[in-house]
Amino acid sequence: MIDTTIFQDKTAVYYTLGCKLNFSETSTIGKTLKEAGIRTARKGEKADICVINTCSVTEVADKKCRQAIHRLVKQHPGAYVVVTGCYAQLKPDQVAGIEGVDVVLGAEQKGELMNYLGNLEKHSQGEAITTAAKDIRSFSPSCSRGDRTRYFLKVQDGCDYFCSYCTIPFARGRSRNGRIEEIVEQARQAAAEGGKEIVITGVNIGDFGKTTGESFFDLVKALDQVAGIERYRIS
């Protein structure tokens, strides 16, 4: 059990690079920290925690990630800095070597970020905690609000195809998905919050069901029964 008393009245900032899937995951991280008593820092306010969710599609993306990390470290001196996402998974030691970074979390650890905050004391040097791509198996559900009534719902992660030009299988691990029952419950929560449209997201949605023995068609049929959601889009 995590002692959340040390997080009361602490503040955090979140910075996301890359795809809608990353934005959805950052949103879920933010909700988890909020439940522990950590509020989002106001504009211009110095934060106690910086969470940076990175992309690594190209060298340009890597450069943008490094720039974002340097910028946030400078803007929030003394903050506990956590870097996760694809760049963190692919080049953890490089990221851990950036001044000001405390913890680098890979794809398997991203969903358990709370477990790596400790007492928020700065590290003398960055610590990288990752899992080899072939061993990444956990699926971290996420659902984020894109605007007032549109939500992005993650249903699948990872890829098994290993195309020569693509780093996704190494950055996000093998294909895996959530269970229909759990995903439908997230859709119901979105509807309860006023959501009218859900964008179904994933790395390779056509692979949905590989890890649960279900099918994407069954998922769509189940989601169609959720009262209040007027439109679904497949991203």
Side-chain angles (χ1 to χ4, degrees), residues 14-36:
Y14 306 91
Y15 193 89
T16 307
L17 300 103
C19 62
K20 292 297 184 183
L21 197 55
N22 268 9
F23 280 87
S24 181
E25 291 169 341
T26 300
S27 177
T28 297
I29 290 171
K31 289 178 183 177
T32 301
L33 268 59
K34 182 178 180 181
E35 290 170 359

Side-chain angles (χ1 to χ4, degrees), residues 111-126:
E112 303 295 330
L113 185 146
M114 278 292 301
N115 294 332
Y116 300 96
L117 294 180
N119 58 6
L120 299 182
E121 284 190 10
K122 294 288 292 178
H123 294 198
S124 57
Q125 60 183 33

Side-chain angles (χ1 to χ4, degrees), residues 47-58:
D48 299 299
I49 305 165
C50 293
V51 179
I52 304 149
N53 195 358
T54 62
C55 175
S56 188
V57 176
T58 63

Side-chain angles (χ1 to χ4, degrees), residues 17-217:
L17 300 103
C19 62
K20 292 297 184 183
L21 197 55
N22 268 9
F23 280 87
S24 181
E25 291 169 341
T26 300
S27 177
T28 297
I29 290 171
K31 289 178 183 177
T32 301
L33 268 59
K34 182 178 180 181
E35 290 170 359
I38 301 169
R39 66 174 176 82
T40 301
R42 303 181 185 91
K43 186 176 182 179
E45 183 179 16
K46 298 293 188 296
D48 299 299
I49 305 165
C50 293
V51 179
I52 304 149
N53 195 358
T54 62
C55 175
S56 188
V57 176
T58 63
E59 282 296 324
V60 173
D62 289 358
K63 182 179 179 181
K64 287 182 178 179
C65 291
R66 291 191 295 271
Q67 291 173 337
I69 295 168
H70 286 302
R71 185 168 61 252
L72 285 168
V73 167
K74 184 177 181 180
Q75 290 174 347
H76 303 277
Y80 190 88
V81 179
V82 182
V83 182
T84 188
C86 292
Y87 183 39
Q89 173 68 35
L90 290 171
K91 300 176 182 177
D93 294 332
Q94 185 179 110
V95 179
I98 297 175
E99 186 176 355
V101 171
D102 294 289
V103 176
V104 179
L105 301 179
E108 186 81 351
Q109 291 74 27
K110 182 189 298 183
E112 303 295 330
L113 185 146
M114 278 292 301
N115 294 332
Y116 300 96
L117 294 180
N119 58 6
L120 299 182
E121 284 190 10
K122 294 288 292 178
H123 294 198
S124 57
Q125 60 183 33
E127 178 184 9
I129 307 168
T130 61
T131 300
K134 65 181 179 63
D135 297 321
I136 297 172
R137 291 289 184 267
S138 66
F139 177 81
S140 300
S142 62
C143 185
S144 66
R145 177 179 286 182
D147 54 30
R148 191 168 61 86
T149 60
R150 177 183 291 178
Y151 282 71
F152 293 87
L153 178 62
K154 173 184 172 183
V155 303
Q156 185 273 342
D157 201 348
C159 184
D160 292 340
Y161 294 103
F162 292 90
C163 298
S164 59
Y165 57 83
C166 183
T167 62
I168 288 296
F170 305 101
R172 284 189 168 269
R174 299 299 175 86
S175 180
R176 57 205 185 276
N177 57 271
R179 293 191 174 279
I180 289 177
E181 180 181 0
E182 298 165 347
I183 293 170
V184 167
E185 180 56 35
Q186 286 184 293
R188 290 196 184 103
Q189 291 176 7
E193 294 173 7
K196 299 297 182 184
E197 177 181 333
I198 287 180
V199 181
I200 300 171
T201 65
V203 171
N204 192 346
I205 294 174
D207 270 1
F208 181 88
K210 269 193 171 183
T211 53
T212 59
E214 300 167 312
S215 73
F216 185 67
F217 184 53

